[in-house]
Amino acid sequence: MERSEEYIKNERKQDWRVALQKKTKAKDRMSIERALMAETEPELRIKSQRIEVNTGLTQEQAILEATRCMDCVNPTCMEGCPVSINIPKFIKNIERGEILEAASVLKETSALPAVCGRVCPQELQCEQKCFYVEKLNQPAVAIGYLERFAADFERESGHLATPELRPSNGIKVAVIGSGPSGLSFAGDMAKLGYDVTVFEALHEIGGVLKYGIPEFRLPNAVVDVEIESLRRMGVKFITNYIVGQTASLDDLKADGYKAFYVGSGAGLPRFMNIPGENANGILSSNEYLTRVNLMGADSEESDTPVLRGKNVVVVGGGNTAMDSVRTAKRLGAERAMIVYRRSEEEMPARVEEVHHAKQEGVEFLTLTNPIEYIADENGRVCQMKVQKMELGEPDASGRRRPVPVEGSEYILDCEVVVVAVGVSPNPLIPNSVEGLEVSKWGTIEVVKDKMQSSIPEMFAGGDIVRGGATVILAMGDGRKAAKNMDIYLTEKYLSN
Amino acid sequence: MNKIVEKEYFSEKIVKIVVEAPLIAKSRKPGNFVILRVGEKGERIPLTIAGADIAKGTITLVVQKMGVSSTKVCDLEVGDYITDLVGPLGKPTEIHNLGTILCCGGGVGVAPLLPIVEAYKKAGNRVVTILAARSKDLIILEDEMRKHSDELIIMTDDGSYGKKGLVTEGMEEVIKREKINECVTIGPAIMMKFCSLLTKKYEIPTVASLNSIMVDGTGMCGACRVTVGGKTKFTCVDGPEFDAHQIDFEEMMSRLGGYKKEEVDKFDQFQK
């Protein structure tokens, strides 16, 4: 639910918060060093896709870290959170040892706290806006670590809190796609009393959280518990169902659905269109990660095959590229390499992911760009021709444009190549819904801030609108859409 | 959901199953396919829909035992459930009244061809159908095809049934005899390639339905990419049917073998 500024201020004045504020002096809080996240040793973790790299804070660490938080009068950190988590309130609950209470604060506005605590780029969001960074030029309060700690504590305790729900209003709404955006939307709509059904094309709920992000960063079991929480709130899930194909939008309307939220994602991989790219052994990061993460192809028991190689090259510099190259390492690659056309500084991947990849022995060939693939007599890639690049003037993205260095081409051996250079919006919904306005890139056009499409009862968010972003931005869209769809439906059906 | 209500062996290795899938039965069109998965460790595999019964809420699939996953489907019995079944997927066949259509099916490709033959006939076309196989026991759906075609020609490599010869020999005879406005070919890649070469010579517009490797079937993985007219297309969302004269069949055939070693390993392990 939305929290007004005044509400936040009043919360801060509650007795227990005031007592904590007085208990420790600011100077003492500031003298505490930021907690370090414990990690599984690189040599051990690269043995399995399913060993989590970050292992979480201990309760002592978490309470100490929470003590660093100044409980600011004006909590700027919250401005950096796309789902507006009441950050000081949850952190102060950790400081006083009320961890379950902290977890329920997270759930007030976030459907997936254990997920966000693991995969959000907090360093660019809440933590970037932290008082420590903005005013003291010191490391931020480890908001992400604390979020994960509280969510994990709740899950392990077995006492899953169900957020307060408004009484049911009987209005049916459908969610198309069960990724982070759809789940976040579903959670908020359930809280508002709607009858929510999520339709998913794949056989598992979770979207990119299941098929994309590897288990060493986000265990499927963690995702499943968050989904279970939504089930307890009354959200229904239907797998193997493609809206627009299995049944039309009109069929769903006839079934009583009054409004729709499209969170169908950016599931259409981009390739570079360079010679030889369709040779065997060259695949999208989506295919590679789906085979391993969703289908379990790293395990012998799975019927799904996956390609392994001595030399695996991943093209790209984003988080998906890091996930792919680290997966390659875990599948036994001797050389797992990143080929990226800019320098490390311009890489869109989180610093933490790059750091972990390096610890695991991943090689970084930066300022290097593939220009051609060479296949063996069986049509399987065996080499790639790459070109060295140098940085020129900044381009539209504000990053310095990579420029080829003439005569710098050389050959790299590779038996598997994973192309992770971005994704385009999935065309299924835009193609199947008549009258839906779509941009030239294939994204659904929405009224900004409302997330309402050209069809009034259809809202959309996440990658199908943004064309490729983060889990948390997709979740923020889901929340925004829920708030505005509630206004739309209330006016249309509930006000007399 | 997805209960198998009927099973029939067309041959030792080719099985027809009828599966409960009321929504897909209602929404599928000729040319559509489904993705299914057998067992919690199962692979997602695409199969073209061979028919549907809206009243009974069932769809018909024809499967040939090839590797682990197709064998697992073929081993299911009446009363068993398919773990996951999703569809219909892909763009449907564009059916118009064009005049005379030559429909060529090879192997299990005959199954997905059946609804297309039916639809062309219903749209008022004259339909000449050629079924081709290595030998008599591999000819499937003959009666159903006969029912919906104006003429049915059977070709076997060994001459054990119908005329002896390749599908293209039967096609050429028809093409020389009468004006063909469009040709549809579904079958093994090599067969579609030669059908396409022949019709190109006679300048007959031709459509081929491709059975590429896929994981999700919704555009997400890109495993099914194929070069059509010099551009990379995804079989799942841009196809499965394409202008056969524009398809790079050499690349397509090579890509079908993209996981051959891994598939053979899985099959060896499965048989143990």
Side-chain angles (χ1 to χ4, degrees), chain B:
Chain B
M1 286 263 272
N2 313 336
K3 186 167 144 186
I4 295 177
V5 293
E6 230 182 285
K7 180 179 179 181
E8 183 187 334
Y9 280 89
F10 282 157
S11 70
E12 195 195 328
K13 290 201 161 180
I14 303 178
V15 173
K16 176 184 113 170
I17 52 172
V18 179
V19 189
E20 275 178 4
L23 292 175
I24 301 174
K26 206 174 135 201
S27 53
R28 68 96 212 192
K29 292 192 173 72
N32 284 147
F33 64 94
V34 291
I35 294 252
L36 57 78
R37 194 170 81 103
V38 178
E40 285 310 316
K41 303 283 176 192
E43 184 184 15
R44 293 172 67 94
I45 56 166
L47 282 174
T48 318
I49 303 168
D53 187 325
I54 297 178
K56 288 184 187 152
T58 58
I59 59 169
T60 303
L61 304 170
V62 175
V63 197
Q64 182 169 19
K65 277 191 197 183
M66 306 268 282
V68 178
S69 301
S70 52
T71 302
K72 281 190 176 175
V73 181
C74 291
D75 288 349
L76 292 173
E77 299 298 339
V78 170
D80 287 345
Y81 290 81
I82 292 178
T83 316
D84 293 292
L85 177 67
V86 63
L89 294 158
K91 289 186 176 159
T93 312
E94 283 182 34
I95 305 283
H96 300 287
N97 187 345
L98 299 167
T100 304
I101 314 288
L102 179 58
C103 294
C104 311
V108 279
V110 170
L113 187 62
L114 178 61
I116 296 171
V117 165
E118 263 187 83
Y120 269 121
K121 181 70 196 153
K122 217 172 154 188
N125 295 281
R126 170 176 155 77
V127 180
V128 179
T129 304
I130 303 178
L131 302 187
R134 281 201 310 278
S135 56
K136 184 182 177 181
D137 57 317
L138 297 173
I139 292 287
I140 61 170
L141 297 166
E142 182 188 342
D143 293 343
E144 290 85 344
M145 280 292 192
R146 197 176 296 282
K147 193 174 139 199
H148 298 288
S149 308
D150 292 277
E151 187 184 343
L152 183 78
I153 299 164
I154 288 172
M155 305 290 300
T156 50
D157 295 1
D158 63 359
S160 54
Y161 194 46
K163 288 184 190 167
K164 183 175 188 314
L166 297 171
V167 64
T168 42
E169 295 171 55
M171 288 169 74
E172 198 151 18
E173 227 181 280
V174 178
I175 293 168
K176 282 184 173 161
R177 184 184 74 193
E178 60 183 301
K179 162 98 179 133
I180 301 296
N181 300 88
E182 187 160 300
C183 175
V184 180
T185 173
I186 311 183
I190 186 85
M191 173 204 131
M192 293 193 284
K193 177 189 157 183
F194 282 104
C195 289
S196 173
L197 284 173
L198 180 76
T199 56
K200 194 165 186 180
K201 191 169 100 185
Y202 289 97
E203 294 176 352
I204 301 167
T206 300
V207 167
S209 176
L210 306 185
N211 57 335
S212 312
I213 293 177
M214 291 179 193
V215 182
D216 60 289
T218 62
M220 212 178 78
C221 78
C224 65
R225 59 197 197 275
V226 54
T227 303
V228 182
K231 289 205 174 94
T232 295
K233 299 277 180 188
F234 286 7
T235 304
C236 63
V237 286
D238 299 320
E241 292 173 10
F242 294 103
D243 175 350
H245 299 156
Q246 302 291 322
I247 296 169
D248 181 343
F249 278 106
E250 295 305 319
E251 180 192 274
M252 195 243 160
M253 284 187 278
S254 168
R255 289 191 59 79
L256 281 175
Y259 284 85
K260 202 166 179 192
K261 185 188 165 290
E262 290 75 13
E263 281 164 359
V264 169
D265 290 349
K266 291 271 180 203
F267 196 59
D268 290 347
Q269 196 187 319
F270 173 69
Q271 283 183 319
K272 280 177 203 162

Side-chain angles (χ1 to χ4, degrees), chain A residues 249-257:
Chain A
L249 214 53
D250 286 338
D251 290 333
L252 291 179
K253 283 180 190 167
D255 241 6
Y257 290 94

